[in-house]
Amino acid sequence: MRLEAFRVQNYKKVADTGWITCRDLTAFVGKNEAGKSAIFRGLSKLNPSDGEKYDGLKEFPRRRYTEEFELQDWPVASGRFEIDNEEFSTLATICDALKDTKKVTITRRYSWSTDVEFSPKPSLPEITHQTLVDAVQNVKKAIQGLTAPEGKGDVLGSIKISIIQEFDNLINALTDQPLDGPLAKAQVDQAVNTIMTKANEDWQKTLLSPQTESFMKIAEQLAVIKALKKAEEWVVQNLPKFVYFDRYDILDSAIHIPTFLDELKDQRKGPRHRVTLCLFKHVGLDLQNMLQLGNYDRNRPFQELVRRSLDELAIKANSASINMTNRFQDWWEQRRHRFRYDFQGQYFRAWVSDDLDPSEIELDQRSLGLQYFFSFYLVFLVESEGAHKNCILLLDEPGMHLHGTAQAKVIEFLNKLAQNNQTLYTTHSPFMVDGDHLERARAVYEKEDGTTGISEDIWPRDKDSLFPLQAALGYQLAQSLFISKRQLLVEGITDYWLIKTVAEVLPSRSLPTLRSDITLVPAAGVTKLLPLASMLIGHDIEIGALLDGDEPARKEGNKLVKKLLSGEDRRCLFIGDFLDGRIAAEIEDVFPEDFYLAAVKEAYQINKPAFTKEEQALNNGIVDKLTVFFNRKGLGRFEKWRVAAVLRDWMLQKPDSVPEDIYKTMSKIFEATNAIFGGTEPEEKPC
C-alpha cells in the first residue's frame, strides 16, 4: 500500500490538518514550534513501528482536554492508501464486494480502534434486528396462507401453529433489543430452523422450503458483511509500518562490548544503542562470537587456533571498513574519508582519516557534521534494507547539524531511500528543500488561533514558514543565474510557474516547446527588469524577455530594448501580441476565461465568480476583473499565485483536461522565444 494522503486531528497543537497529499518524497517545511513534530508523531501512530499507542492525557489538545476528551472517541490519524494489483487480488478474494476497490482509508482513534473505508464504497444493505422482524412477519402471512395436499390438512394446521408460535417468540426476543442493532447470523439460523425442523416429509419440504428464501438472502448479506469485516481486518494487519525518527544519535568511537551486551540484556537501550546495533549489523559480526574470538590466554605460547581467530576478527573488520569507505564517499563530498574498524581486546574502535591528512583520528574527534552524517547514513543504510523494508519513514529534521552543501547531499540520499521506502521529512533549512522539486514541499505554519496548519499551495502567508521556500528557490536561481548563457526574463514567480509547466507538458502534446538550454529568470516585478538585465548582460549572458502586454510591462520592455538591447525589439516579447485583439493581455489571459474561473473556484473554495456587466465590460485582463470582483464581494485581495498553483497542478496531473488552444498558443510563443536565441535547439555534438 502506498500512502496517497494523510490527515491528523485532535493531536497536541494540531486541530485538523485536512487531507494532505504526499509523494514518494515529501518535505514539510516550517519554523520551530510550528507543529511539524506533532504532525509526524501523530501520523506515525497510525501503525507505529515502535508499538507506542496514543496517550490522551499527554497528547490530546490540552486546552480542550477537560471539557471535550471524554465526550467521544476522537479520531487522530487517517491515511488514504492506493492498493497494488496483488493487494487488490487479495481483497477481492476475501470479499467479492471489493472487486472494484482502488483505495482504502484507515483512521486510528485514541482508543486504538480503527475505521476502514474502501473506495469506491461497496454497496451493502443495512441488516438490523428490524430486517429480520419484517422478514418473519412476511413469512408468517405466507405460511398462514399455505394449502395442504388432500388428507394433510390437520397435520399442516398443527405445523402452522407451531411455526407461528416460535416466530412470535423470535419477534419478541428481537424487539426486546434495539431494532436498529446489528443482526447475528444465529438469529437468522433460528428463523430458518423454525421452518425446516417441521419439514420431515417430501410434501412438507415442498411447501415450507420456499418460505426460507428471504432468510437465506439475509444470511447471504450477513456473509458479505462478515467478509467485509475480514477484509478490514486484513487491511489493518497489512498496513505499512510508520517509522518515526526524531533522534539521530552519534556513534561512540570506542565501544566496550561486554558493557554494551549487558545494557541490551537489561533493556537499558537508548538511541545510541540503535546506532551501535546498526554498525555491528553492517559489519556483519556476531558480538558474542567476536568476544570469544578476542578472548585467549595471553600467557600461553603461540597457538594456531588463536591466530586464526584473530585473523578472522581483523579480516571481517577490514572488509566492513572498505565497504563503508566506498559507499560513504558517494554521499559525503566535503572530503574523501577512509574508515577503519578495529577490535582491541573487548573494545571496538572506529578511526577516520581523509585525503588531506592521512592521520587516523577517533570518529568522535571529527566534526559534528561528519559524525552526524556517518551515524545517520549507517542507520538508514541498515534499517531501510531490513526491519523497515517497505515501511513509511517519517524523519524529523534530518541533516540539522550539517553544512548547507552536505544537506543537499542528504536530499540525494533521501531520494534513494524513497525508491524503496516512501519518505516524509521535516525541516526549517532552505538547503533541505529541493529547489527543482518545490511540488514536494508542504509548508507547516501556525494559525492565528495557535493551532497548526499545512499549506499545499507552497507559499503561505506566514513569512517565517515561507522563508525556507523562498530561500530554496532563490538559491536555485542564484546558482543558475550566471551559469546558463541563454536566459529569458519573466515578470514574476507565477509567470515562471506557468511558463515552466507548459514547457514541460508540450512535448507530450507533440508541440514545439521552449529550448531546454534557455533558463527562466523571474524579475520579481517589471520595475526590477532593467537592473537584472544589466547585471546579466555585464556577464556576457544572452538575454530575452517575455512580458505581459499591459501598459507597465510595455513601458519597461521598451526601456529594456532602447537602453540595453540596442533597439532589438525582437528580443522583448509581449503576451498580448499573441492573443488576437487583446494587446494588454497577461499570461493569465492565455487561459480561456471560463477555465480560469474554474481554477479560481478551486483555489479559493468559492462559487465560480460571475461578473457584473460593468466588470465584464472592462477592457483589462481577467486579473483586473477578478480584483474588482473580489473587492465588490468583500473577499479580500485577489492573489493570482493561488490560481497559478491550481493551473500548474491541473496541467501536470491531468493535461488532457486543459483546453488544447492553451498549448497551441504557448507553443507559438515559445517558437518566437526560441527565435531570439537562434531558433530550434541545436543538436548535441558527439564527444
Side-chain angles (χ1 to χ4, degrees), residues 355-369:
D355 53 349
L356 297 181
D357 184 356
S359 305
E360 290 188 334
I361 300 173
E362 301 94 319
L363 176 62
D364 57 14
Q365 297 301 310
R366 303 294 304 213
S367 71
L368 187 62

Side-chain angles (χ1 to χ4, degrees), residues 442-465:
R442 306 287 182 266
V444 182
Y445 61 96
E446 196 170 32
K447 297 180 181 179
E448 292 180 358
D449 62 359
T451 61
T452 296
I454 303 179
S455 171
E456 289 204 57
D457 294 328
I458 296 182
W459 308 105
R461 292 180 180 273
D462 183 349
K463 292 182 179 179
D464 290 333
S465 297

